[in-house]
């Protein structure tokens, strides 16, 4: 009964996880991007995700709904998971068409530049030390 106050309303997070997987495709965590690069990549991820929300479950040629078997660690058992229709990337074609049309007509596309003067040059707020110093420090620990 004491734990009841700690419970939060249940909600499915699957769609959010799908978006985060899409975002990771456009913004790999192991790569550094400028602020403007991150904004553009995040926008592409949002376009990709929004273009593919609500896909229907795939069907066989005979009209049967398609499933795949997956072993889950959580349940320790095999479960059936829905297979959805393939993703559509028509948003990319529209982007390319707009770029080509702008180039042909010698016009520019609308650009929304986000200026953030409050952002530090790096996350630490400190200047990085000399690389040689850090490399020597690492080498001395390895001995």
């Amino acid at each position: 009964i004491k734990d009841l106050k700690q419970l939060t309303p249940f909600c499915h997070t699957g769609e959010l996880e799908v978006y985060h997987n899409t975002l990771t495709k456009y913004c790999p965590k192991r790569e550094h991007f400028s602020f403007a690069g991150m904004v553009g990549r995040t926008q592409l991820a949002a376009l990709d995700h929004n273009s593919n929300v609500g896909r229907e479950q795939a069907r066989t040629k005979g009209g049967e709904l398609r499933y795949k078997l997956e072993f889950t660690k959580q349940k320790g058992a095999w479960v059936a998971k829905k297979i959805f229709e393939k993703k559509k990337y028509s948003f990319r074609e529209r982007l390319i068409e707009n770029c080509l049309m702008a180039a042909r007509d010698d016009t520019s596309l609308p650009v929304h530049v986000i200026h953030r003067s409050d952002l530090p040059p790096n996350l630490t707020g400190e200047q990085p030390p000399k690389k040689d110093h850090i490399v020597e420090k690492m080498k001395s620990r390895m001995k």
Side-chain angles (χ1 to χ4, degrees):
I1 299 286
K2 291 180 184 177
D3 291 340
L4 226 48
K5 290 186 272 183
Q6 304 299 326
L7 294 175
T8 58
F10 176 78
C11 66
H12 289 283
T13 59
E15 200 62 44
L16 181 61
E17 290 174 28
V18 170
Y19 171 70
H20 284 150
N21 286 339
T22 304
L23 183 60
T24 303
K25 178 175 122 179
Y26 288 93
C27 306
K29 295 177 182 181
R30 293 182 181 257
E31 292 183 41
H32 170 79
F33 301 104
S34 67
F35 181 74
M38 282 299 293
V39 169
R41 288 169 175 275
T42 303
Q43 290 170 335
L44 282 173
L47 285 169
D48 186 342
H49 177 74
N50 291 343
S51 296
N52 291 288
V53 169
R55 287 181 291 152
E56 297 291 324
Q57 188 174 353
R59 294 183 176 270
T60 64
K61 290 181 182 177
E64 298 287 323
L65 294 173
R66 293 185 58 200
Y67 295 91
K68 63 181 176 182
L69 289 180
E70 202 171 276
F71 188 84
T72 65
K73 293 178 187 176
Q74 187 178 24
K75 292 183 180 180
W78 288 94
V79 295
K81 298 266 183 152
K82 294 178 182 179
I83 297 176
F84 292 95
E85 293 175 343
K86 290 187 178 200
K87 288 179 76 171
K88 296 177 182 143
Y89 294 100
S90 56
F91 75 94
R92 291 178 181 175
E93 294 165 5
R94 289 192 305 272
L95 282 173
I96 292 171
E97 286 171 9
N98 287 340
C99 290
L100 291 174
M101 200 167 24
R104 182 193 68 215
D105 298 341
D106 200 26
T107 59
S108 61
L109 295 172
V111 177
H112 303 284
V113 179
I114 301 170
H115 295 287
R116 295 285 310 265
S117 59
D118 60 322
L119 293 176
N122 61 46
L123 292 177
T124 65
E126 300 174 14
Q127 291 298 317
K130 300 270 187 209
K131 184 166 70 171
D132 295 344
H133 175 71
I134 298 297
V135 170
E136 285 303 318
K137 198 172 172 180
M138 179 197 68
K139 287 180 180 178
S140 68
R141 283 193 317 237
M142 309 270 302
K143 290 181 183 177

